[in-house]
Amino acid sequence: QVQLVESGGGLVQAGDSLRLSCAASGRAFSTYTMGWFRQAPGKEREFVTAISWIGSNTYYATSVKGRFIASRDNAKNTVYLQMNSLKPEDTAVYYCAAAGGLSPSRAADYAHWGQGTQVTVSS
């Protein structure tokens, strides 16, 4: 069983940066693809980024490419999402997910989810 706990969300202004963290329990963390998704009010959950188990491959949604950076520290069982140049449209609850399958951007391929952390970007 894998448990995921996100942290680092908050209220920031447009142009600011935030770093989200996702701490995982479970010995198999280092073998999982890890993903970040987000869900804004009234919208479906959408893919943000994913990082392969060794960190050598990363995938980004077009909307965040060049602004967000995913990384992981397998020794600490933690994955990070550095968010730069934040925009009001980045406002959402951000979820960490583990154990992606064949498609890193497909939510249904992830077996474990955190509770989410709120990110609010004011204009």
Side-chain angles (χ1 to χ4, degrees):
Q1 184 69 16
V2 176
Q3 291 187 324
L4 305 173
V5 179
E6 302 96 335
S7 62
L11 172 63
V12 297
Q13 294 186 331
D16 285 351
S17 298
L18 271 179
R19 189 175 81 155
L20 305 183
S21 299
C22 173
S25 63
R27 291 176 293 176
F29 171 80
S30 62
T31 67
Y32 293 154
T33 292
M34 298 296 296
W36 287 96
F37 291 77
R38 66 187 182 187
Q39 188 166 17
K43 295 187 177 181
E44 293 186 354
R45 190 170 298 190
E46 65 172 358
F47 169 74
V48 176
T49 181
I51 183 167
S52 61
W53 70 275
I54 201 172
S56 57
N57 293 321
T58 51
Y59 312 86
Y60 295 96
T62 301
S63 59
V64 306
K65 193 172 296 184
R67 300 188 297 122
F68 290 12
I69 302 171
S71 61
R72 66 190 296 163
D73 185 338
N74 288 341
K76 295 182 178 180
N77 275 17
T78 302
V79 63
Y80 304 98
L81 179 61
Q82 177 67 42
M83 305 186 295
N84 301 318
S85 302
L86 282 161
K87 304 175 181 180
E89 51 263 45
D90 294 318
T91 295
V93 177
Y94 282 71
Y95 297 90
C96 164
L102 295 178
S103 177
S105 63
R106 200 164 78 106
D109 280 5
Y110 289 82
H112 309 284
W113 291 83
Q115 293 300 307
T117 185
Q118 176 71 47
V119 172
T120 303
V121 185
S122 63
S123 57

